[in-house]
């Protein structure tokens, strides 16, 4: 149980400043946490926001310095993973300036350059389609119902400008859910991003697939993943170079096919960081931790930074890495926030978070903002004291249980 209760003496055990991009990192611990934290490269808190509801799941900074928060309030669709019911924008001081309420949202969103927002929703599948589905564990529908995924572009007035339904474009004979996963959602999707030409790209986790959708026609114009042994991936993101990055979790990864060179990908249980050229389908950069320390069955993110480095979030461990193109780790941060896991997971503690996002020191949203760590050092100390009390409680429970 040591991995669940240890408190690291140094939140930043690695920092090679000359080789690092620098800047500030935004993240929000999961479950009942309601805080978003912005930390500098030394792990000091530069700013934080306290929200009304827990994350459901992502949060991001806008160019004006405001925080956009996908929240998990009381009106979510109960029983579906990563459900959310509010998208809230707050200013630097935490004052609400805009909100959009929809109990069908989940996981992720993307704010476009024109201010519009791409969101994802869960919608009940027509029963005719549901009966034709393959894959998944039979009987694991939600009260007999399977949900599909709908992608919407909305404006700041809450109006729907564009909409795409996965069940109108997926083929039940070819788009099959993982046989080890539940069937409450067909085409379980955990991230959305947009290319400069407007095309939408999605991470379809349980199909081990990345799909690109033409914004003009709504047709799927590119699929990638199963042939490269993706394992229930997260966070497909478009880079400035037009490539895409993927956090390949590695869960339920397909076994190696004899006679096919998969670069031994299926010979281990670990996560991969990938950069892929969508024009050719080639993997142009790949990172697997030599000691398999980056391994997260769920959540996770990877971001290509302006200096060519990559920042990864190992969500299960609550640990961030900055890695050079030459695969040298030049920064490592371990979250000090240890939270209770909900009862359905058993009683334990976790550092879990959905994703992390790096913003350069020259990010325009920081103009005129006070990022001095002296303002918030006490908050970290306060939270750690609360965590220590939780750790002591867990230790006593383990001792009573004979561990």
């Amino acid at each position: 149980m040591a991995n669940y209760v240890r408190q690291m003496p140094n939140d930043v055990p690695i920092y090679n400043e000359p080789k690092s991009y620098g800047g500030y990192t935004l993240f929000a611990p999961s479950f009942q946490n309601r805080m978003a934290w912005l930390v500098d490269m030394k792990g000091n808190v530069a700013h934080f926001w306290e929200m009304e509801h827990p994350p459901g799941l992502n949060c991001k900074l806008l160019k004006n310095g405001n925080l956009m928060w996908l929240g998990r309030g009381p009106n979510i669709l109960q029983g579906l993973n990563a459900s959310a019911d509010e998208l809230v924008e707050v200013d630097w001081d935490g004052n609400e300036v805009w909100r959009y309420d929809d109990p069908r949202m989940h996981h992720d969103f993307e704010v476009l350059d024109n201010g519009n927002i791409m969101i994802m929703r869960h919608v009940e599948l027509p029963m005719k389609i549901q009966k034709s589905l393959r894959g998944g564990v039979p009987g694991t529908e939600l009260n007999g119902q399977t949900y599909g995924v709908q992608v919407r572009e909305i404006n700041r007035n809450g109006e729907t400008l564009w909409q795409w339904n996965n069940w109108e474009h997926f083929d039940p004979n070819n788009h099959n859910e993982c046989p080890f996963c539940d069937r409450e959602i067909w085409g379980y999707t955990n991230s959305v991003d947009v290319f400069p030409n407007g095309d939408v790209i999605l991470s379809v986790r349980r199909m081990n697939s990345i799909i690109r959708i033409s914004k003009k026609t709504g047709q799927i114009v590119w699929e990638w993943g199963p042939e490269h042994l993706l394992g229930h991936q997260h966070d497909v993101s478009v880079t400035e170079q037009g490539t895409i990055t993927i956090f390949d979790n590695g869960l339920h990864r397909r076994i190696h096919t004899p006679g096919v060179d998969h670069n031994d990908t299926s010979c281990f249980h670990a996560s991969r960081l990938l950069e892929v050229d969508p024009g050719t389908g080639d993997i142009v950069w790949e990172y697997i931790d030599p000691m398999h320390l980056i391994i997260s069955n769920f959540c996770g993110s990877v971001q290509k930074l302006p200096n060519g480095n990559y920042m990864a979030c190992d969500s299960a461990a609550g640990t961030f890495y900055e890695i050079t193109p030459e695969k040298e780790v030049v920064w490592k941060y371990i979250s000090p926030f240890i939270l209770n896991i909900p009862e359905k997971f058993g009683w334990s503690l976790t550092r879990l978070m959905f994703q992390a996002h790096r913003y350069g020191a020259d990010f325009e949203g920081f103009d005129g903002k006070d990022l001095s760590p002296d303002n918030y050092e006490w908050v970290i100390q306060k939270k750690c004291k609360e965590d220590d009390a939780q750790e002591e409680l867990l230790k006593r429970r383990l001792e009573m249980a004979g561990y």
Side-chain angles (χ1 to χ4, degrees):
M1 299 297 294
N3 288 336
Y4 291 92
V5 301
R6 71 177 185 267
Q7 187 69 38
M8 304 303 290
N10 184 359
D11 298 338
V12 185
I14 300 173
Y15 182 30
N16 186 334
E17 186 172 0
K19 292 187 176 182
S20 170
Y21 173 61
Y24 299 83
T25 302
L26 176 75
F27 65 97
S30 294
F31 300 119
Q32 296 309 307
N33 162 73
R34 297 183 293 111
M35 313 291 286
W37 301 95
L38 187 69
V39 299
D40 65 19
M41 298 303 294
K42 295 181 179 179
N44 300 309
V45 172
H47 197 68
F48 77 93
W49 293 261
E50 184 170 3
M51 305 301 291
E52 182 179 3
H53 298 120
L57 286 166
N58 217 346
C59 63
K60 303 174 183 179
L61 288 181
L62 306 183
K63 292 180 179 180
N64 60 4
N66 290 354
L67 177 76
M68 188 70 83
W69 176 273
L70 190 60
R72 184 180 175 85
N75 300 314
I76 61 169
L77 276 177
Q78 298 290 339
L80 296 179
N81 283 345
S83 292
D85 59 6
E86 60 182 15
L87 189 60
V88 182
E89 180 182 349
V90 297
D91 64 18
W92 191 255
D93 297 319
N95 301 305
E96 183 176 309
V97 298
W98 180 85
R99 72 180 293 122
Y100 175 77
D101 296 299
D102 182 348
R104 295 178 176 273
M105 292 186 290
H106 61 94
H107 280 98
D108 195 18
F109 62 90
E110 182 62 23
V111 180
L112 309 182
D113 289 339
N114 61 6
N116 294 344
I117 306 168
M118 203 68 72
I119 62 173
M120 303 187 297
R121 309 175 72 245
H122 286 139
V123 179
E124 292 87 349
L125 279 181
M127 193 55 61
K128 180 179 179 181
I129 295 178
Q130 180 174 324
K131 290 180 178 179
S132 67
L133 300 184
R134 299 180 180 181
V137 179
T140 57
E141 299 82 1
L142 182 59
N143 300 319
Q145 177 68 56
T146 297
Y147 289 74
V149 174
Q150 183 179 84
V151 183
R152 274 186 181 177
E153 180 182 350
I154 60 171
N155 62 20
R156 288 306 185 105
N157 295 320
E159 301 167 323
T160 300
L161 306 180
W162 180 83
Q163 183 170 287
W164 183 88
N165 301 320
N166 72 346
W167 61 90
E168 296 176 348
H169 301 276
F170 283 2
D171 180 356
N173 293 315
N174 296 318
H175 292 94
N176 302 324
E177 293 288 291
C178 169
F180 303 111
C181 293
D182 292 347
R183 297 185 62 174
E184 83 280 16
I185 301 168
W186 185 44
Y188 185 108
T189 302
N190 54 33
S191 78
V192 58
D193 203 356
V194 179
F195 283 94
N197 71 346
D199 284 2
V200 177
I201 193 158
L202 304 174
S203 164
V204 188
R205 172 172 164 87
R206 295 177 183 171
M207 294 180 183
N208 301 321
S209 185
I210 305 299
I211 64 170
R212 180 172 181 168
I213 304 159
S214 168
K215 181 74 177 300
K216 294 180 179 179
T217 68
Q219 298 302 309
I220 298 174
V221 296
W222 184 67
E223 285 192 69
W224 189 95
E227 71 278 18
H228 294 278
L229 299 184
L230 283 185
H232 292 6
Q233 75 290 334
H234 278 76
D235 188 33
V236 57
S237 299
V238 180
T239 72
E240 294 182 357
Q241 295 76 30
T243 58
I244 58 173
T245 53
I246 305 166
F247 187 93
D248 178 18
N249 296 76
L251 181 64
H252 298 167
R253 196 186 301 281
R254 185 162 54 86
I255 63 173
H256 181 78
T257 303
V260 178
D261 181 14
H262 290 305
N263 196 26
D264 293 330
T265 298
S266 62
C267 298
F268 61 87
H269 180 47
S271 300
R272 288 189 297 174
L273 314 179
L274 299 175
E275 182 178 4
V276 176
D277 183 341
T280 64
D282 294 336
I283 296 175
V284 298
W285 187 80
E286 176 182 37
Y287 180 80
I288 303 167
D289 186 86
M291 300 298 291
H292 294 181
L293 296 179
I294 301 179
I295 176 169
S296 184
N297 286 338
F298 33 77
C299 305
S301 63
V302 57
Q303 174 186 358
K304 189 169 186 180
L305 303 175
N307 70 341
N309 289 355
Y310 302 81
M311 192 190 78
C313 171
D314 181 348
S315 295
T319 303
F320 313 148
Y321 299 83
E322 184 176 342
I323 305 164
T324 68
E326 295 76 30
K327 304 183 180 180
E328 177 185 357
V329 176
V330 295
W331 181 73
K332 179 179 180 179
Y333 171 83
I334 303 170
S335 170
F337 303 115
I338 304 176
L339 305 171
N340 284 313
I341 294 179
E343 203 170 295
K344 68 178 181 177
F345 293 100
W347 37 277
S348 188
L349 302 173
T350 183
R351 288 188 171 91
L352 179 68
M353 60 197 64
F354 183 57
Q355 293 182 3
H357 305 283
R358 178 73 65 81
Y359 300 89
D362 59 352
F363 175 59
E364 59 188 286
F366 295 152
D367 291 348
K369 304 297 193 301
D370 183 1
L371 296 169
S372 171
D374 295 337
N375 295 331
Y376 300 106
E377 185 178 6
W378 65 271
V379 178
I380 281 286
Q381 291 174 355
K382 179 181 177 182
K383 288 292 181 182
C384 283
K385 288 178 181 178
E386 293 174 358
D387 292 338
D388 288 342
Q390 292 293 336
E391 285 191 26
E392 288 301 319
L393 177 60
L394 177 59
K395 289 177 182 178
R396 290 197 298 271
R397 287 175 172 173
L398 289 173
E399 290 172 357
M400 293 173 62
Y403 289 93

